[in-house]
Amino acid sequence: MGIETTWGDRKCNKESRELPKATDTNSRSKPRKSRRRKKRMSPVQKLIATCKQVFANGEAGIVPSAEDIERLRAVLDEMKQEDVGLNPEMPYFQTQVAQGTPPITYLHLYMSEKFSMGIFCLPPSGVIPLHNHPGMTVFSKLLFGTMHIKSYDWVVDDPINTSADVNPSHITAPAARLAKVKVDSNFTAPCNTSILYPADGGNMHCFTAVTPCAVLDVLGPPYSDPDGRHCTYYLELPFTSLSVDGVSVPEEEKEDYAWLQEREIKPEDLAVVGPEYGDPKIVQK
């Protein structure tokens, strides 16, 4: 999601002073101090430190090494709702009566030029519409709840339907491009971290909350309009709704394909609110 909030300009001297201080001043005090700080590092702080290493040399379209991916995945796999101070009874996850499409809460954790991190809080029936992650490697950890995930990857080298006439009035709409379903399933926490890549793994996905859900997202690099990494939303059109010369799939596989058409504006029913994340505290370094 294209939610941009920065913590980089915030002063954190007070939080830094709250770190434990070693009292031993002899020659062995530094290793002991280092060990103590490492032991007291919170799970969120450990995650941020790992991301800084994994994405240190990252840029759009560059996927971290397999070793770094597994290292970050291992840290995320251990994350629990208690580590970020969330539970399903909090107001973020409640649905108001007769409210229509419920709003989604985004808790921003960290932002730099290399990566961003935050938590999406979805009440039941909350939806994050189908959208892309241009040039990004994205890690998503479901902290609690059951969520339906549907994702797509572009079909390489297949033609684009440039007219995309999809209604009886034959009004020309934005171009539609052929994509193949990567995932279309329910996921229930605890489950492994999912990873998508710039050209694989389901780079375009949609989240629908079956129950109250919290999803911890790490994006490397983050969305950036100045750098051309825009968040684009899509409409899904059945494969059979369009006909393009030279494009065909077996009858039994047609449900595995769809035409994705860019939305010219953000979905009107998407409401995202972003209160400041406050607990556990994050120490900036």
Side-chain angles (χ1 to χ4, degrees):
M1 299 288 292
I3 301 174
E4 303 292 342
T5 329
T6 61
W7 279 52
D9 297 332
R10 299 197 179 185
K11 301 298 183 181
C12 300
N13 294 334
K14 180 179 179 181
E15 293 177 340
S16 298
R17 289 198 297 270
E18 292 174 354
L19 289 171
K21 297 181 174 58
T23 56
D24 187 356
T25 58
N26 62 32
S27 61
R28 293 174 295 176
S29 63
K30 288 185 178 180
R32 190 172 298 171
K33 182 178 180 180
S34 177
R35 287 196 300 271
R36 184 178 298 176
R37 284 187 173 179
K38 185 174 181 180
K39 185 177 180 181
R40 294 289 297 274
M41 184 180 287
S42 72
V44 173
Q45 201 71 49
K46 179 181 178 181
L47 177 59
I48 292 174
T50 303
C51 288
K52 287 181 178 180
Q53 296 171 1
V54 169
F55 294 110
N57 300 314
E59 57 185 67
I62 303 300
V63 177
S65 68
E67 179 182 356
D68 280 341
I69 286 175
E70 289 307 314
R71 185 154 59 101
L72 181 50
R73 186 209 297 265
V75 174
L76 280 164
D77 281 346
E78 295 297 319
M79 295 290 294
K80 301 178 177 61
Q81 64 186 66
E82 296 85 359
D83 297 330
V84 294
L86 295 177
N87 68 75
E89 304 305 317
M90 299 176 77
Y92 306 141
F93 307 100
Q94 307 305 310
T95 302
Q96 302 298 321
V97 178
Q99 187 181 44
T101 302
I104 295 165
T105 300
Y106 179 75
L107 302 177
H108 173 74
L109 300 184
Y110 189 89
M111 167 70 79
S112 72
E113 293 182 353
K114 298 294 186 180
F115 70 94
S116 65
M117 183 186 306
I119 303 170
F120 288 100
C121 305
L122 291 82
S125 300
V127 177
I128 300 178
L130 186 66
H131 62 284
N132 69 346
H133 307 83
M136 304 177 189
T137 302
V138 180
F139 297 73
S140 297
K141 169 63 176 177
L142 183 61
L143 297 171
F144 61 79
T146 296
M147 172 177 288
H148 185 86
I149 299 176
K150 188 170 187 179
S151 66
Y152 292 90
D153 287 316
W154 295 122
V155 173
V156 180
D157 297 330
D158 265 10
I160 297 174
N161 185 300
T162 55
S163 61
D165 293 334
V166 296
N167 57 65
S169 62
H170 298 286
I171 297 175
T172 299
R177 185 176 174 185
L178 187 62
K180 185 175 183 179
V181 175
K182 183 70 176 184
V183 174
D184 189 7
S185 301
N186 284 350
F187 293 82
T188 300
C191 56
N192 292 334
T193 301
S194 64
I195 306 173
L196 62 84
Y197 303 94
D200 190 23
N203 185 274
M204 296 151 290
H205 63 200
C206 172
F207 290 167
T208 303
V210 179
T211 69
C213 295
V215 183
L216 174 56
D217 255 8
V218 177
L219 286 69
Y223 288 108
S224 172
D225 286 344
D227 295 320
R229 294 191 299 277
H230 312 286
C231 183
T232 301
Y233 296 91
Y234 297 91
L235 294 172
E236 300 173 75
L237 308 176
F239 176 79
T240 54
S241 66
L242 299 176
S243 178
V244 178
D245 291 342
V247 178
S248 63
V249 298
E251 186 68 31
E252 64 273 15
E253 296 181 14
K254 288 184 177 179
E255 291 188 358
D256 296 333
Y257 291 84
W259 297 97
L260 302 189
Q261 183 182 57
E262 286 190 20
R263 294 191 180 205
E264 296 181 330
I265 59 174
K266 186 176 76 172
E268 295 181 357
D269 57 352
L270 174 61
V272 179
V273 295
E276 180 179 312
Y277 177 81
D279 186 48
K281 290 184 178 179
I282 297 174
V283 179
Q284 303 285 345
K285 293 184 179 179

